[in-house]
Amino acid sequence: MATISDVAKQTGLSSATVSRVINNYPHVSEEKRRLVHEAMEELGYFPNTSARNLRNRKTNLVAVLIPRLTNPFFTSILDGIEKVAEEKGFQLLICQTQSSKKKEMDFLTLLKTKQVDGVIFTSIENDWSEIKPYTESGPIILCNEYHRNATVPIIRLDQAYGSYLGTRHLIERGYRKIAFCHGSKSGLSNDRRKGFVRAMSEAGLPLNQEWIFHNTYTMEDGKNVLREIMNLRDRPNAVFTGGDEVASGVLKEAKRYGLKVPEELAILGFDDQPIASLIEPELTTICQPGEEIGSRTMSVFIDCLNGEIDRKQQSVIELPISLVKRKTT
Amino acid sequence: MATISDVAKQTGLSSATVSRVINNYPHVSEEKRRLVHEAMEELGYFPNTSARNLRNRKTNLVAVLIPRLTNPFFTSILDGIEKVAEEKGFQLLICQTQSSKKKEMDFLTLLKTKQVDGVIFTSIENDWSEIKPYTESGPIILCNEYHRNATVPIIRLDQAYGSYLGTRHLIERGYRKIAFCHGSKSGLSNDRRKGFVRAMSEAGLPLNQEWIFHNTYTMEDGKNVLREIMNLRDRPNAVFTGGDEVASGVLKEAKRYGLKVPEELAILGFDDQPIASLIEPELTTICQPGEEIGSRTMSVFIDCLNGEIDRKQQSVIELPISLVKRKTT
DNA sequence: GTGAAAGCGCTAACAA
DNA sequence: TTGTTAGCGCTTTCAC
């Protein structure tokens, strides 16, 4: 494998000059520049990334933590991140946490070992106090999920408003017995509950603890939620889910039980994934712009690296959230 | 940031010994081992990955080429790859090609620059002759899509059989006017056409060029296919799509036109993604085990790195493919 | 069992 | 404009 000094030898120049050519430094004569290019071509030379990384103290690599690659909402975020990353010369390292606290922490050592320049969280399992020490080692950005007290840039949606909007909508449509599905115990989840509770109490509606479901993420979880609902003596007539996948599970299973949607059971999703308008009846849902939240996040990340944004201080970008009325409510 | 020589100084040992401890070498006395661990803890030392990579001439990084992150079939493959990678201490670099020939070639330079130890293709845009030279620089594995003449390991499904199976099924159900959707021009696509053509000719059915559609990948493409069909004087009464996303687009649009599925138009998918059993009527489709094909691929990759499989010679692992009968045929 | 020293391939400060 | 040189942080011979 050819190295920079092979090219230097071949051209009769020093490796410094070759390096200058590789990195497009201005003060190199056109002739030598051409000479170097020729030699590189001839030798099949490519600069060794590890050597450059070591020398430059950066890798142009970003770790992206994502709970599951098979969740379309998260891949839409990833897609947004990737597009900006590609454009700006960064590569992404996939870190699938499977919603595990331990894996999340393990991936953070990528920062310590300087394998990546920074980390983007799209979901959070651990408390902020666990994560905070790592902010010393490089930029950490919170995307989508967040902690109220996190001392880093946050790109998120107004979840409280989103769930308030959704709950209000259900109430306006005449539903009064509303079930609510939670994900993990993050700021996001908290805010969603707040919005829900606010809408409910504004309407003078009671909260039934039997109608609150926890740790729901997948279609399968949605099916389980519906089964649990069917076992209740006092059943809700509407379900506000934490995601379209969960919602489609609820819907699927509701149909199996012969429940009429939305007459006997209204279902409200979250995300507005492609499936939302594919299933029947089409899913009413809260639209979260996944790709945009991703691309904004990557831009902020780059600004942090360049020191244009203080990476150790909380700053919040809040993207709009909206209700997409379809047929399940 | 603490380096290995800081640890050496702190302990009064040489950096060689510290390195031995880091890498769990046998011939280090227990006492010094303990001493080193203590010092590392105290100094907050973590080995620098770039330095190790440079020295060891490997990165434990694998580039995974994928057309779109938002295609659930491909993310299921990615999921399978990731799980084995994680287990074996490899990290994945996301390379979204957007089905672009140029991007695909660009990502291959990651191999040349030694940024990754190898490359996994889940789809292929360029001819094999373009890609082949890169096999000199490290293992390249073909997963899912393939070229007949590729001189590397291939993990795939028997696509010819799959589409034969699907077409036979349509014919048996009484459909005679069958449209067929293509993706890109790879061995996979070729084989699918072969299976289709074989089933058709066995049944003595003619091929209508108006019913062959090219470059169909997304739900939107599916909608377009149906619109084109509606504009035909002589319309097919069945569509064999190249993926469930395309199929769901066809279905969605068919409903919009008031077409009865499957009575007036049968639809056959490919993949068996989650949506297949979510949409209504449920989609008959060809099941491709995405996660398994991914995990098998990553195992083969590792075997290549260890020299247990010849990486410059074609070897084929073929996974089973099957028909999932549901309601659209 | 441990240390000295060379070197992986590259870049940048300094000198010319 | 170009070259010399030191060094990024680590591993690994080789010697003791």
Side-chain angles (χ1 to χ4, degrees), chain B residues 4 19 25 45 52 55:
Chain B
I4 199 171
S19 172
Y25 269 57
Y45 168 79
R52 299 182 105 173
R55 183 59 229 226

Side-chain angles (χ1 to χ4, degrees), chain B residues 110-145:
Chain B
L110 292 171
L111 245 193
K112 288 270 180 205
T113 59
K114 303 267 176 253
Q115 186 152 15
V116 297
D117 292 342
V119 176
I120 293 175
F121 283 72
T122 63
S123 69
I124 315 179
E125 298 299 325
N126 292 279
D127 291 336
W128 180 245
S129 57
E130 299 288 325
I131 298 165
K132 187 174 182 184
Y134 292 86
T135 59
E136 295 301 324
S137 307
I140 290 179
I141 315 274
L142 264 35
C143 163
N144 182 46
E145 284 199 15

Side-chain angles (χ1 to χ4, degrees), chain A residues 141-174:
Chain A
I141 316 274
L142 264 33
C143 163
N144 183 45
E145 283 199 15
Y146 49 92
H147 284 310
R148 285 248 153 268
N149 54 338
T151 55
V152 293
I154 297 174
I155 291 81
R156 64 180 181 94
L157 296 119
D158 192 343
Q159 302 287 349
Y161 179 67
S163 68
Y164 176 76
L165 210 60
T167 312
R168 272 282 301 269
H169 169 72
L170 286 171
I171 294 169
E172 280 164 11
R173 305 287 279 183

Side-chain angles (χ1 to χ4, degrees), chain A residues 190-231:
Chain A
N190 247 325
D191 282 351
R192 282 198 190 165
R193 199 198 44 235
K194 275 187 201 159
F196 171 68
V197 169
R198 189 177 132 220
M200 292 294 274
S201 70
E202 278 183 13
L205 295 175
L207 298 177
N208 185 334
Q209 286 307 316
E210 278 192 321
W211 300 343
I212 308 286
F213 298 90
H214 289 274
N215 296 315
T216 58
Y217 303 98
T218 66
M219 207 186 74
E220 212 45 57
D221 294 336
K223 288 184 179 176
N224 287 330
V225 165
L226 190 104
R227 280 181 218 122
E228 289 187 43
I229 285 177
M230 294 311 282
N231 285 332

Side-chain angles (χ1 to χ4, degrees), chain B residues 220-264:
Chain B
E220 213 42 59
D221 294 335
K223 288 186 179 175
N224 287 329
V225 165
L226 191 105
R227 280 181 219 122
E228 288 186 43
I229 285 177
M230 294 310 282
N231 285 333
L232 258 32
R233 272 156 296 115
D234 185 19
R235 293 185 200 154
N237 58 8
V239 188
F240 193 172
T241 64
D244 289 348
E245 286 185 286
V246 177
S248 53
V250 173
L251 175 57
K252 185 80 192 173
E253 197 69 3
K255 282 181 186 169
R256 225 174 57 83
Y257 276 91
L259 241 48
K260 284 219 176 84
V261 176
E263 293 81 0
E264 296 176 277

Side-chain angles (χ1 to χ4, degrees), chain B residues 52-296:
Chain B
R52 299 182 105 173
N53 289 349
L54 174 58
R55 183 59 229 226
N56 294 332
R57 297 155 176 287
K58 63 193 190 63
T59 60
N60 288 317
L61 246 43
V62 187
V64 182
L65 272 53
I66 176 173
R68 280 185 305 127
L69 287 164
T70 51
N71 179 321
F73 173 61
F74 285 95
T75 48
S76 72
I77 295 180
L78 200 53
D79 187 32
I81 296 176
E82 199 274 345
K83 280 174 182 158
V84 175
E86 206 266 350
E87 197 180 309
K88 304 289 187 183
F90 285 84
Q91 301 283 339
L92 304 183
L93 230 59
I94 300 180
C95 304
Q96 192 165 212
T97 65
Q98 315 272 16
S99 300
S100 142
K101 288 193 182 203
K102 183 179 178 311
K103 287 200 179 174
E104 187 172 282
M105 294 312 289
D106 286 348
F107 285 126
L108 277 171
T109 64
L110 292 171
L111 245 193
K112 288 270 180 205
T113 59
K114 303 267 176 253
Q115 186 152 15
V116 297
D117 292 342
V119 176
I120 293 175
F121 283 72
T122 63
S123 69
I124 315 179
E125 298 299 325
N126 292 279
D127 291 336
W128 180 245
S129 57
E130 299 288 325
I131 298 165
K132 187 174 182 184
Y134 292 86
T135 59
E136 295 301 324
S137 307
I140 290 179
I141 315 274
L142 264 35
C143 163
N144 182 46
E145 284 199 15
Y146 50 90
H147 284 309
R148 284 248 153 268
N149 54 339
T151 55
V152 292
I154 297 174
I155 290 82
R156 64 180 181 95
L157 296 120
D158 192 342
Q159 301 288 348
Y161 179 66
S163 68
Y164 176 77
L165 210 62
T167 312
R168 271 283 301 271
H169 169 73
L170 286 171
I171 294 168
E172 280 163 11
R173 304 288 279 183
Y175 301 99
R176 301 212 143 351
K177 302 168 74 172
I178 304 174
F180 190 79
C181 300
H182 269 290
S184 66
K185 240 177 79 184
S186 62
L188 174 147
S189 201
N190 247 324
D191 282 352
R192 282 197 189 167
R193 199 198 42 234
K194 275 185 201 160
F196 171 68
V197 169
R198 189 177 132 222
M200 292 295 274
S201 69
E202 276 182 15
L205 296 175
L207 298 177
N208 186 333
Q209 286 307 316
E210 277 193 322
W211 300 343
I212 308 287
F213 298 90
H214 290 275
N215 296 315
T216 57
Y217 303 98
T218 65
M219 206 187 75
E220 213 42 59
D221 294 335
K223 288 186 179 175
N224 287 329
V225 165
L226 191 105
R227 280 181 219 122
E228 288 186 43
I229 285 177
M230 294 310 282
N231 285 333
L232 258 32
R233 272 156 296 115
D234 185 19
R235 293 185 200 154
N237 58 8
V239 188
F240 193 172
T241 64
D244 289 348
E245 286 185 286
V246 177
S248 53
V250 173
L251 175 57
K252 185 80 192 173
E253 197 69 3
K255 282 181 186 169
R256 225 174 57 83
Y257 276 91
L259 241 48
K260 284 219 176 84
V261 176
E263 293 81 0
E264 296 176 277
L265 185 74
I267 302 172
L268 185 51
F270 223 113
D271 294 347
D272 197 20
Q273 295 175 12
I275 44 162
S277 47
L278 239 33
I279 58 182
E280 215 111 310
E282 293 186 3
L283 189 64
T284 298
T285 192
I286 306 295
C287 174
Q288 303 201 89
E291 191 183 335
E292 191 190 348
I293 209 176
S295 56
R296 294 291 291 271

Side-chain angles (χ1 to χ4, degrees), chain A residues 112-139:
Chain A
K112 287 269 179 206
T113 59
K114 302 268 175 253
Q115 185 152 13
V116 297
D117 293 342
V119 176
I120 293 175
F121 283 72
T122 63
S123 69
I124 314 179
E125 297 300 325
N126 291 279
D127 290 338
W128 180 246
S129 57
E130 299 288 324
I131 299 164
K132 187 173 184 185
Y134 291 86
T135 58
E136 294 301 322
S137 307

